[in-house]
């Protein structure tokens, strides 16, 4: 039985590596923020699952536990688990009709409430930080658009030209932001990894030409240097 429990813990560790691998594959900022929120919620649910199992186990020990007080039968494990999970979730926020019935349950309940305070604070801080990052991106775009609208209004620019200017500026701002973000990211990479990255990103455009295609077969290292220095 202990070996099985150890294997379950190893599965949780493996799940964390799987989530990190999935996050590394995301290239969209919005998808990254959404996945970060999902990870935070998933971690809270895993913690509540563990606490629910402990709470049920404590309630079954002795003759005056909460499980006996609620007349929960051992055959109905699904209802028992849902009740335990409901109790654990209510310790983070709200309340329910299940209460500690002895000293051990009361001590565990106090410990869960203290843990809930820390978890909720961390969870709210994580969500707030993600929202601030999204708001910072939105505010920068809003400020630039506001400045452009003021300029167009003050100089009485026609509606047709205003639309063309706005479209061009929006595309230009996106391009500049993308280049700045890429530059910061690429500067942090080791030289060998950076060369591999440039090779894989730029070589498809080069080998569309017959000369560079032949060069990629005859002298792949030369093409790799060209992709890096281009």
């Amino acid at each position: 039985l202990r070996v099985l429990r150890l294997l379950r813990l190893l599965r949780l560790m493996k799940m964390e590596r799987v989530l990190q691998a999935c996050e590394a594959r995301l290239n969209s900022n919005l998808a990254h923020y959404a996945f970060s929120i999902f990870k935070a919620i998933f971690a809270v649910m895993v913690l509540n699952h563990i606490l629910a199992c402990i709470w049920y186990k404590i309630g079954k020990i002795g003759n005056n536990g909460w499980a006996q007080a609620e007349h929960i039968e051992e055959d109905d494990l699904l209802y028992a688990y849902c009740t335990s999970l409901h109790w654990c979730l209510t310790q983070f926020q709200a309340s329910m009709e299940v209460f500690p019935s002895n000293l051990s349950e009361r001590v565990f309940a106090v410990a869960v409430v203290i843990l809930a305070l820390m978890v909720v604070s961390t969870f709210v801080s994580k969500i707030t930080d993600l929202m601030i990052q999204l708001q910072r991106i939105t505010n920068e775009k809003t400020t630039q658009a506001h400045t452009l609208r003021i300029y167009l209004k003050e100089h009485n620019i026609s509606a047709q030209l205003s639309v063309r200017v706005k479209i061009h500026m929006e595309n230009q701002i996106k391009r500049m932001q993308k280049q700045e973000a890429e530059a910061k990211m690429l500067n942090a990479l080791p030289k060998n990894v950076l060369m591999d990255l440039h090779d894989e990103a730029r070589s498809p455009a080069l080998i569309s030409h017959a000369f560079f295609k032949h060069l990629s077969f005859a002298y792949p290292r030369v093409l790799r240097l060209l992709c890096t220095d281009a």
Side-chain angles (χ1 to χ4, degrees):
L1 184 60
R2 292 181 178 179
V3 174
L4 292 176
R5 291 174 180 174
L6 180 60
L7 290 176
R8 290 177 182 175
L9 292 176
L10 292 176
R11 287 180 182 177
L12 289 177
M13 296 176 62
K14 183 178 180 181
M15 178 62 69
E16 182 180 1
R17 291 195 297 269
V18 170
L19 291 175
Q20 291 176 351
C22 293
E23 186 176 9
R25 294 177 177 272
L26 298 176
N27 295 324
S28 170
N29 288 330
L30 184 60
H32 171 74
Y33 295 143
F35 191 78
S36 298
I37 294 174
F38 167 77
K39 283 203 309 179
I41 296 175
F42 180 78
V44 171
M45 291 307 300
V46 169
L47 176 62
N48 276 277
H49 166 73
I50 296 173
L51 294 176
C53 294
I54 299 174
W55 176 245
Y56 177 71
K57 183 65 177 179
I58 294 176
K60 295 298 292 182
I61 297 176
N63 297 321
N64 60 341
W66 70 268
Q68 284 77 16
E70 294 296 324
H71 305 290
I72 295 179
E73 302 295 335
E74 293 185 358
D75 297 337
D76 197 358
L77 289 179
L78 180 59
Y79 178 76
Y81 173 75
C82 291
T83 304
S84 300
L85 183 62
H86 186 190
W87 180 87
C88 292
L89 290 172
T90 55
Q91 304 313 299
F92 290 76
Q93 191 71 24
S95 61
M96 70 174 298
E97 67 276 6
V98 174
F99 302 100
S101 301
N102 52 49
L103 179 60
S104 59
E105 291 179 0
R106 184 69 62 179
V107 171
F108 180 75
V110 171
V112 170
V113 170
I114 296 175
L115 179 62
L117 289 174
M118 294 185 292
V119 171
V120 169
S121 300
T122 304
F123 181 79
V124 172
S125 176
K126 177 72 173 178
I127 300 300
T128 303
D129 182 61
L130 292 173
M131 293 300 103
I132 290 175
Q133 294 181 34
L134 284 173
Q135 189 65 35
R136 187 181 296 117
I137 296 174
T138 304
N139 288 342
E140 185 177 353
K141 293 181 179 179
T142 303
T143 301
Q144 293 171 344
H146 179 68
T147 304
L148 178 60
R149 286 195 298 268
I150 292 177
Y151 177 87
L152 296 175
K153 182 179 179 181
E154 289 179 349
H155 292 81
N156 297 321
I157 305 300
S158 63
Q160 184 177 3
L161 181 58
S162 296
V163 172
R164 291 170 56 194
V165 171
K166 290 177 182 178
I167 293 176
H168 175 77
M169 289 301 298
E170 184 177 355
N171 294 333
Q172 185 67 19
I173 290 171
K174 289 181 179 179
R175 192 179 301 111
M176 291 175 60
Q177 290 176 342
K178 182 179 178 182
Q179 290 176 351
E180 291 177 0
E182 287 179 352
K184 292 180 181 180
M185 180 270 298
L186 294 177
N187 289 334
L189 295 176
K191 185 176 180 180
N192 290 335
V193 177
L194 183 60
M195 292 179 70
D196 291 336
L197 182 63
H198 283 155
D199 182 27
E200 190 167 329
R202 298 172 178 175
S203 60
L206 290 177
I207 62 177
S208 60
H209 192 279
F211 172 75
F212 291 107
K213 186 175 183 180
H214 174 73
L215 186 66
S216 65
F217 289 107
Y219 304 99
R221 297 184 62 182
V222 174
L223 184 65
R224 185 167 179 261
L225 291 174
L226 286 175
C227 293
T228 303
D229 298 333

